[in-house]
Each structure stands twice: as structure tokens, then as C-alpha cells.
Amino acid sequence: MRVLRGLLEVGALFLALFLVMPYIPSHEGFVHRFGAKQGVAIALFAASRVLRWRDSWWIALPEAAAFGAFAWALTESYNLL
């Protein structure tokens, strides 16, 4: 059970990071929006942190909020390219 929880934690964390990977910038002026993809990434990140902290699950809330700010800033920085 401990190994399965660890695999779920790592899997959710890496999937969340994969979902916020950089877009390929284009010269066409397309603007990337903060949307469902980033929302799913934040939810997966929060789930991985809750699995990590178990009994102290409330610690995962500020971590997920910080990851949300990171995902938003990353999306906005792509638009500046």
C-alpha cells in the first residue's frame, strides 16, 4: 500500500508538471488562455501533495495555491514571447 501511494503521488506530480510544460510560441499572435488544462494540473498537484502530507493535509493548500500562481505566471510569460 505504501508503494502504491508513493507511485500515485509521483505520477500525479509528474502529470501536473507535464500539463504546464511550455507551449511552442508562434509568430501568429495566438494568446494562450489559463483554462481547464491548467486547472487539471493544479488539481493533480494538490492531490499529490495531499498524498504526501497525509494527516497534515492542510499544508497542501498553500502549496497548491503557489503552484496555481506558478502555472498562471508561466502561461502569461508564454504570451510575452
Side-chain angles (χ1 to χ4, degrees):
M1 190 66 172
R2 183 176 167 199
V3 172
L4 180 61
R5 185 174 33 233
L7 288 174
L8 285 173
E9 175 195 344
V10 169
L13 181 62
F14 279 122
L15 189 55
L17 292 174
F18 175 76
L19 287 174
V20 294
M21 281 177 50
Y23 297 101
I24 298 172
S26 68
H27 63 285
E28 298 173 2
F30 181 75
V31 176
H32 299 283
R33 301 282 181 218
F34 187 84
K37 182 178 169 185
Q38 288 82 6
V40 169
I42 294 168
L44 285 170
F45 184 84
S48 75
R49 298 295 83 202
V50 167
L51 286 171
R52 163 59 87 195
W53 292 108
R54 282 181 251 145
D55 295 332
S56 302
W57 60 267
W58 53 271
I59 296 173
L61 296 176
E63 287 183 339
F67 183 78
F70 166 74
W72 177 81
L74 199 58
T75 302
E76 293 301 315
S77 68
Y78 299 147
N79 292 329
L80 293 175
L81 294 177

